[in-house]
Amino acid sequence: MNREIKGEELRQYIHNALYTWIDERGFVHAERFTEKQLEQYRRDIYMDNTDFIPRAKCSSTVMLELVTDSDYIALEHDWHMGMRYEWEDVDFFVDGVNTDYRLVENEGYRLIGFDIPKGKHDVQIWFPWCDIISLEHVYVDEGAVVEQPPKKDLRILTFGDSITQGYIGHHPAFNYVGIMARSLNAECVNQAIGGYWFEGASLDPALSEYRPDLITVAYGTNDYSLKGSLEEFRAGVSGFVTRLEEIFPEVPVLGIIPIYRCDDRLRPRIYTRSYTRDEAMEAIRAEYAKYKNITVLDDTFFPHPKDYFAPDGVHPNDLGFMVYGKAVTDAVRRMPFMKERK
């Protein structure tokens, strides 16, 4: 016999989401953005006519976590493409160790399960960064203990583009946000959308209700692709940071300078910039320097060898994310607010 967890009971075990809701079928959905933010994303279109809503609905960094003495756990769910990839990949952790990984093709209704060692364990199932997931049931042994995991030490809100969302990593738990969340024992809402940029209008004052202990920001690469002049580039950065400070006046911010790009050999110069990438990055640093709550993490930590990049030369591969994740985590640990918490 199985114990079935669903509906309201199931919602309490979903983590790293801004909120959850149940549809008319009884399926649980996890959301990373407010309705006001989604309204803004419906108005914004990337240069290749990308619709940002499917990307915003993806489950990046969302996970199911509980403590149980069951010897297995199974997840019954529905999934659909959010970012053009016809596969779903899921990472499974037992007591902080990645013990299993599943990759399945063809979107739709799915049942996947994992074995758990004997005894009582903290288990996590990390959902795909590129798919839209809704949960119907979780199954464990009949009579098994099912409890909430210990409370996290931090609450983190992350803003960024495709790199922050996890593009194009194979393991959803090993993008840099996932690495940071586990390393710092943090609850983390990942507010990243592939292709997005510094946009003050995307910040909803209601986000303050999440009460983050830390905010990270990692925009800039797409701004350089989209903004025709340095003045336009700088205005976008300024508008975002000004609004961020208005909504979160006392929250420490880690401003991550975009990592090195080695894609020049791959992309034709279909447009001409009147400014260099170095000038763009310096503009970000200058805007960050105006605010006392922002600590800057420069891109010199990230190695330039192509072995650390996906074939497109822009996004880290899994190895690159490991390096990136460690660098971001180390930078957070050096921030003054972390020293004050000890």
Side-chain angles (χ1 to χ4, degrees), residues 191-219:
Q191 288 220 312
I193 297 182
Y196 210 63
W197 53 83
F198 283 106
E199 176 54 73
S202 70
L203 293 172
D204 182 357
L207 290 172
S208 63
E209 297 173 10
Y210 181 65
R211 300 187 183 280
D213 300 296
L214 169 70
I215 292 170
T216 68
V217 179
Y219 293 115

Side-chain angles (χ1 to χ4, degrees), residues 103-209:
L103 186 148
V104 295
E105 297 179 318
N106 303 319
E107 60 187 327
Y109 197 71
R110 188 74 56 181
L111 177 66
I112 57 174
F114 302 92
D115 293 328
I116 306 173
K118 290 187 179 299
K120 194 173 178 180
H121 301 281
D122 184 301
V123 299
Q124 298 176 347
I125 301 176
W126 289 74
F127 303 145
W129 59 267
C130 58
D131 296 322
I132 304 168
I133 304 296
S134 56
L135 310 178
E136 184 176 24
H137 302 101
V138 168
Y139 298 103
V140 295
D141 283 318
E142 183 71 26
V145 170
V146 179
E147 300 172 346
Q148 281 284 357
K151 185 179 178 180
K152 305 300 183 186
D153 295 330
L154 292 172
R155 294 168 70 87
I156 303 176
L157 196 59
T158 70
F159 297 100
D161 48 37
S162 55
I163 294 174
T164 304
Q165 186 173 344
Y167 194 96
I168 313 172
H170 289 95
H171 285 266
F174 288 97
N175 59 49
Y176 83 82
V177 179
I179 292 171
M180 175 178 64
R182 288 192 305 282
S183 300
L184 298 174
N185 191 33
E187 189 85 12
C188 185
V189 173
N190 189 339
Q191 288 220 312
I193 297 182
Y196 210 63
W197 53 83
F198 283 106
E199 176 54 73
S202 70
L203 293 172
D204 182 357
L207 290 172
S208 63
E209 297 173 10

Side-chain angles (χ1 to χ4, degrees), residues 255-259 281-282 285 296-302 327:
I256 304 171
I257 302 300
I259 62 173
M281 299 307 104
E282 188 54 40
R285 295 184 190 95
V296 176
L297 175 59
D298 219 318
D299 69 343
T300 53
F301 69 84
F302 196 82

Side-chain angles (χ1 to χ4, degrees), residues 54-103:
R55 300 184 181 203
K57 292 290 185 177
C58 288
S59 59
S60 179
T61 312
V62 177
M63 67 165 178
L64 181 133
E65 182 178 14
L66 50 80
V67 175
T68 184
D69 61 357
S70 177
D71 63 5
Y72 83 98
I73 186 169
L75 182 71
E76 199 166 16
H77 64 290
D78 207 357
W79 71 275
H80 299 282
M81 292 168 50
M83 290 188 72
R84 78 182 64 165
Y85 294 102
E86 297 182 3
W87 42 259
E88 171 199 35
D89 55 352
V90 174
D91 276 314
F92 183 66
F93 283 72
V94 177
D95 297 330
V97 177
N98 186 203
T99 62
D100 209 341
Y101 166 79
R102 299 293 167 80
L103 186 148

